[in-house]
């Protein structure tokens, strides 16, 4: 087995035992990038030189007997909306095609021992479900190159699935980690809102955005999550509290765990093969001692609408700063200020971004605020209350991650509403600020991966990971890297 | 709901080309229509959440960034400042 | 023209004198080199987040207490969205529907008699300042300096309760003195640390308020007076000519002495306010709100009024004593002794004491003057034990040496002779030596008495009590 095929836990052990070096691991992953990146297109920037330099530094420190974190030397991909000091950070947009942040995101400060192999492709400003709206190029699904990897963190998911990274960070505003994890057959965690600092994550929708990990095993995701979580004085919305111990691997114990299946997530619109795969996973968990019960989350059907209004409203404000003055793209030959703004923004943003900025501007504009934005916020409170009530009777909620397997590239590009429907199972989790974990649970008729979503009460990441581990132990690992063809 | 796409675009400092205006208008109207099926919610919406108070920052100086770092991404800078087209004054 | 009533409401923006900016740890200071007090947060770089400075909340609550506002210890911040190059995030973090401080009022003194007027305060909220645009013909465009971005501001909004430019000026001056008194703003007008937007309308008494126009960009109190008078006159002229006032925003151009249209109501900005998602609810513990009120000093407007009404000081004196917290406190300590008249204390403090401090460039606290020493001296003057003139010598000694008042008086021989027996001989001798003056006096040239008093003073080497000498002279002259 090549080093790039290993999980982070395995690699970490090998490096600790000096059975391999960080440089060898980095070279193995960079070798895989050289082989398959032309087909997958997971990256916007590959940071080969920096990665090798960091790997050698780690090896040097290890040789000196320094105590290193478990993530030291692990090759990692970082979504290109997470600011990396001195390294191009584009958000997949022409608007930031040349932006080099002079600061690190807090998560990067917490991962100083990791070996960053590159900045992963994404839908422009994280707005999309297919990774097709990047200004730079589209990313293909490693399990079937004609399929989308899901979005918006499609590059991060594809990199991990294709062995072009061992771990990756993505961001999730309405499903942008869980959907690509599901489509690419890997594990992805959207942490509780506030569990991971957003400082340095280029904002899409501030009240919903959350950074989270991708990996090819539950342990790997747990390991990366424990490294990045925790309160941050730079992010007022981050929660100062106790977080899972970084050395405590998920237990795999689900005895007595009450798992709720909300009927609204298994009804019309969900493919039969998806339902069957998820129910099969449910029966495995039941066999291992979990208690399964049907529940109801009646407002689910309205969540997507509320999500689009809230996220677009915040986005319209967050993206107003891109005006050609301080950083990024600036239109040439403009006469006055207004022309500079309008030309820069019209040329620098893609259509999906413009659509959302305009939707957000509309719902906040004078005369429409109460009917749209305020109503969406009311609905948000109602959805949160329904989840809270549900969690009085169960420890976890289990749903499909998406109604179906990955769709073909180009299939939904001209129909925003159809594209948005891919997020129907995931947005509620962001709306309610809960943790959500997507775990592979089989394949569809097209041989593309399917995923199930575990949802917990706030800060119950450990419960999600424990349950996912139980399923992984029984159903086999998710780590196999497909033949890229 | 009819949406005045040009007014919204102006507010957002976007200029929408004529040939795309109709497409945007249609798509926006579809999205807004989807949002209009939201139920009337009787429960009040509380804009503050005293159960989750914000921790405040102490009034202690942290070093600023070197000016080069502040300006290095600016498309156009001069005399230590970012440059914009002349504003009326 | 004078059958119109002017209605004025003011929005005052004051920069707070915290050490750091409102949402980042950059230094809050004026006059630094361009773009040197900046970081990714205050220049709105992608991915950065605000963290609220606790002092800003405290200072705003202090001002709220000072203006008798109801405090909203549970409140939030909102985004005000608009595009301008001095606003790098393209939104200002401010407060919309729940300001930190709600309704309150302020009593301002209008005249020398101490007539006051109560001006309603609508709200006080916290927000961030914008940067500065530099226009210089040697550059092709405008330059942006982000140093001022994120400087903390409070915005104090008044009710439309003022009826003249003079009332507006009194209100502004009172606001300024309070800000300085509770030490939350430096109020340096030339540095723009307080600025105001002015709403003006006119109407005939008894009729409903007229349509108001807002004037922006007023950064001096005298400018505010000119702007109000100009705007009122403009509106009256329009009305008199049969026209109507349109609600609009105008920009006051002080050097030109006129306001120009900025935008009409039709193209009013749509700020699309919404709750700031990067910040959580502000929750100030009840005890803290109370503590902030309890630590507030007596406010300058109250103090001025008390000095005028209870201590019978003229407004001029009262203002000067209140303006300087140090002198005010010194003055009050002297008054408390009860040994001399407040007006005399005020005269000495504002006169010789201030002059000597200024000459030597020294603070009152750094001199040896204490309320006891000053009162002791003033009491001697009041009792005629030394002359006022002698006091000028004494004050310098007791301010800058350790000598007691008594020592100085003795050493310098300043004691006034108030003993009739001792002065009687001098008076008789002078009368004998100045027969011509005596004759003049008796012939009706009453001012000859001044000459005689002067002669006696000379004879007594300046130590005779002039009042007593005059009394004796008059007795002899019959
Ligand atoms: Mg304001
Ligand atoms: Zn700063």
């Amino acid at each position: 087995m090549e080093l790039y095929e290993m999980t982070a836990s395995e690699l970490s052990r090998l490096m600790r035992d000096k059975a391999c070096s960080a440089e060898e691991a980095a070279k193995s992953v960079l070798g895989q990038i050289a082989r398959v990146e032309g087909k997958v297109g997971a990256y916007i920037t590959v940071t080969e030189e920096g990665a090798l330099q960091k790997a050698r530094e780690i090896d040097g420190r290890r040789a000196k007997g320094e105590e290193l974190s478990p993530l030291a030397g692990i090759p990692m991909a970082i979504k290109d909306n997470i600011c990396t000091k001195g390294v191009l950070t584009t958000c997949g947009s022409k608007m930031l095609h040349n932006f080099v942040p002079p600061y690190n995101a807090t998560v990067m400060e917490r991962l100083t021992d990791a070996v960053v192999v590159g900045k992963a492709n994404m839908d422009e400003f994280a707005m999309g479900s297919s990774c097709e709206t990047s200004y730079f190029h589209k990313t293909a699904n490693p399990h079937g190159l004609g399929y989308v990897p899901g979005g918006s963190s499609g590059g991060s998911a594809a990199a991990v699935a294709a062995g072009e990274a061992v771990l990756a960070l993505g961001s999730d505003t309405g499903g942008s980690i869980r959907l690509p994890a599901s489509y690419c057959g890997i594990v992805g965690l959207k942490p509780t809102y506030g569990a991971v600092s957003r400082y340095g994550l280029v904002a899409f929708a501030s009240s919903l955005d959350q950074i989270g990990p991708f990996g090819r095993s539950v342990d790997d995701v747990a390991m990366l999550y424990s490294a990045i979580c925790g309160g941050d004085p730079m992010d007022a919305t981050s929660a100062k509290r106790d977080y899972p111990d970084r050395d405590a691997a998920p237990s795999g114990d689900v005895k007595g765990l009450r798992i709720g299946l909300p009927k609204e997530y298994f009804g019309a619109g969900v493919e039969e093969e998806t339902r069957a795969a998820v129910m099969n996973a449910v029966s495995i968990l039941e066999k291992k001692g979990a208690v399964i019960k049907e529940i109801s989350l009646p407002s689910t059907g309205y969540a997507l609408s509320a999500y689009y209004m809230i996220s677009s409203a915040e986005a319209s404000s967050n993206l107003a700063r891109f005006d050609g003055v301080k950083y990024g793209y600036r239109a040439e030959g403009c006469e006055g200020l207004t022309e500079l703004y309008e030309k820069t923004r019209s040329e620098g943003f893609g259509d999906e971004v413009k659509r959302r900025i305009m939707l957000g501007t509309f719902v906040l504009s004078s005369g429409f605020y109460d009917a749209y934005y305020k109503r969406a916020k009311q609905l948000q409170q109602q959805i949160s209350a329904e989840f809270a009530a549900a969690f009085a009777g169960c420890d976890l909620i289990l749903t499909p991650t998406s109604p179906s397997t990955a769709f073909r590239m180009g299939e939904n590009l001209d129909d925003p509403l159809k594209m948005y429907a891919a997020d129907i199972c995931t947005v509620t989790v962001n709306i309610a600020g809960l943790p959500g974990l997507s775990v592979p649970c089989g394949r569809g008729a097209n041989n593309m991966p399917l995923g199930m979503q575990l949802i917990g009460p706030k800060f119950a990441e450990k419960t999600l990971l424990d349950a996912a581990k139980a399923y992984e132990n029984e159903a086999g690992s998710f780590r196999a890297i497909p033949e890229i063809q | 709901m009819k949406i005045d796409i040009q007014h919204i675009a102006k507010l957002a400092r976007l200029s929408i080309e004529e040939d795309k205006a109709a497409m945007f208008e249609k798509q926006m109207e579809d999205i807004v229509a989807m949002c209009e099926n939201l139920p009337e919610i009787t429960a009040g919406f509380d804009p503050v959440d005293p159960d989750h108070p914000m921790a405040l920052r102490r009034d202690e100086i942290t070093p600023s960034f070197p000016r080069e770092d502040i300006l290095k991404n600016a498309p156009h800078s001069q005399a230590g400042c970012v440059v914009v087209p002349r504003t009326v004054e | 023209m004078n059958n119109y009533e002017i209605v004025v409401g003011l929005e005052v923006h004051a920069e707070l004198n915290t050490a750091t900016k409102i949402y980042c740890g950059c230094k809050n200071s004026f006059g630094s080199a361009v773009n040197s007090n900046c970081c990714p947060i205050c220049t709105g770089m992608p991915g950065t987040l605000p963290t609220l400075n606790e002092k800003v909340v405290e200072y705003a609550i202090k001002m709220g207490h000072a203006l008798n506002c109801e405090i909203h210890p549970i409140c939030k911040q909102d985004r005000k969205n608009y595009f301008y190059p001095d606003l790098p995030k393209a939104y200002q973090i401010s407060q919309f529907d729940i300001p930190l401080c709600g309704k309150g009022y302020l009593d301002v003194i209008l005249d020398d008699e101490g007539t006051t007027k109560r001006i309603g305060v609508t709200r006080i909220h916290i927000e961030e300042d914008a940067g500065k645009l530099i226009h210089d013909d040697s550059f092709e465009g405008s330059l942006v300096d982000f140093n001022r971005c994120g400087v903390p501001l409070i915005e104090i909004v008044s009710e439309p309760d003022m009826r003249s430019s003079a009332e507006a000026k009194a209100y502004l001056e009172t606001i300024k003195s309070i800000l300085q008194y509770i030490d939350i703003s430096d109020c340096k007008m030339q540095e723009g640390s307080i600025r105001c937007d002015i709403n003006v309308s006119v109407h005939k008494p008894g009729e409903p308020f007229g349509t108001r126009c807002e004037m922006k960009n007023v950064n001096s109190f005298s400018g505010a007076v000119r702007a109000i008078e100009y705007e009122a006159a403009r509106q009256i002229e329009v009305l008199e000519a049969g026209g109507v006032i349109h609600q609009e925003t105008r920009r006051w151009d002080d050097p030109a002495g006129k306001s120009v249209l900025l935008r009409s109501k039709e193209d009013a900005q749509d700020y699309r306010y919404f709750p700031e998602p990067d910040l959580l609810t502000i929750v100030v513990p009840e005890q803290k709100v109370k503590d902030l009120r309890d630590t507030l000093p007596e406010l300058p407007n109250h103090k001025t009024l008390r000095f005028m009404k209870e201590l019978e000081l003229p407004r001029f004196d009262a203002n000067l004593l209140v303006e300087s917290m140090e002198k005010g406190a010194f003055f009050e300590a002297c008054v408390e002794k009860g040994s001399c008249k407040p007006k005399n204390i005020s005269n000495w403090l504002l006169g010789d004491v201030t002059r000597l401090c200024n000459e030597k460039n020294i603070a009152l606290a750094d001199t040896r003057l204490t309320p006891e020493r000053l009162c002791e001296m003033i009491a001697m003057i009041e009792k005629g034990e030394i002359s006022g003139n002698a006091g000028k010598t004494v004050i310098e000694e007791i301010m800058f040496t350790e000598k007691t008042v008594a020592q100085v008086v003795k050493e310098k021989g300043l004691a006034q002779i108030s003993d009739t027996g001792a002065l009687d001989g001098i008076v008789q001798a002078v009368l004998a030596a100045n027969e011509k003056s005596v004759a003049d006096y008796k012939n009706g040239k009453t001012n000859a008495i001044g000459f005689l008093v002067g002669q006696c003073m000379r004879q007594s080497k300046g130590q005779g009590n002039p009042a007593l000498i005059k009394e004796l002279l008059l007795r002899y002259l019959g």
Side-chain angles (χ1 to χ4, degrees), chain B residues 63-81:
Chain B
S64 290
F65 273 49
R67 187 188 293 130
E68 310 84 80
D69 283 353
I70 296 299
L71 298 180
K72 77 171 180 192
N73 280 290
H76 189 8
S77 66
Q78 204 169 40
C81 291

Side-chain angles (χ1 to χ4, degrees), chain B residues 64, chain C residues 21 24-26 37-43 149:
Chain B
S64 290
Chain C
K21 293 185 177 182
C24 67
C26 286
N37 297 335
C38 297
C39 72
I41 299 168
C42 54
T43 53
C149 290

Side-chain angles (χ1 to χ4, degrees), chain A residues 135-152:
Chain A
Y135 167 67
F136 299 93
H137 53 81
K138 296 181 187 4
T139 297
N141 191 318
H143 289 273
L145 296 175
Y147 291 87
V148 301
S152 65

